[in-house]
Structure formats: structure tokens, C-alpha cells
Amino acid sequence: MMHAVIRNGTDALHLIGPVDTYTLDALRDYASSYGLGMGPRRLEIEVTPDDEQALARRVGGWLMRLARHGVTVEMRQHPPC
């Protein structure tokens, strides 16, 4: 399970769901465009230990590109429910 928060300086968008293709595509779409031009963007992702490897494998490269383009990216482990 994943909980992502995308912040743009004035607002925040929360995305909660399983680490699957649909949720990761939504994360990629929103994080790439949400709040462009509205201040610094920040992406915070909490993921359960069971899903951490899947998240890194599927979107790790994309998260690194976001960081290189000035988006602060923070990943944390969330304890399993």
C-alpha cells in the first residue's frame, strides 16, 4: 500500500492505493504536472515494506528524474496495516 502527498507550495494532493500500474500511472501524471508554476514542488511517499521493492523497480528512475528537475522527493517506509 502507498500513500503519496504531492505539495506545490500552496496546496497538497493525496493519493492512496496499492502499488499497481493504475496507481503508479496516476502518481506519475499528477506529480509531473500538479502545481507547475505555483512554487516548489515536493513529493512524499510512504510505502509498506512489502511494496517498497516494487515501487523502486517500477518508478525509481522516474523519481530520480523528478529530483533532478528540482522536485523534492522523500520516501519513507510505512508499517504494515
Side-chain angles (χ1 to χ4, degrees), residues 20-32:
D20 61 13
T21 301
Y22 177 80
T23 305
L24 294 176
D25 283 349
L27 174 66
R28 190 176 2 249
D29 290 346
Y30 285 119
S32 296

Side-chain angles (χ1 to χ4, degrees), residues 28-70:
R28 190 176 2 249
D29 290 346
Y30 285 119
S32 296
S33 62
Y34 182 72
L36 284 175
M38 297 177 68
R41 287 184 295 153
R42 178 180 183 87
L43 173 59
E44 302 164 6
I45 302 173
E46 286 189 4
V47 64
T48 55
D50 292 344
D51 289 324
E52 189 173 16
Q53 290 292 329
L55 179 74
R57 185 175 52 252
R58 291 179 174 176
V59 295
W62 168 75
L63 291 173
M64 297 298 279
R65 282 192 299 280
L66 268 184
R68 282 195 303 268
H69 286 97

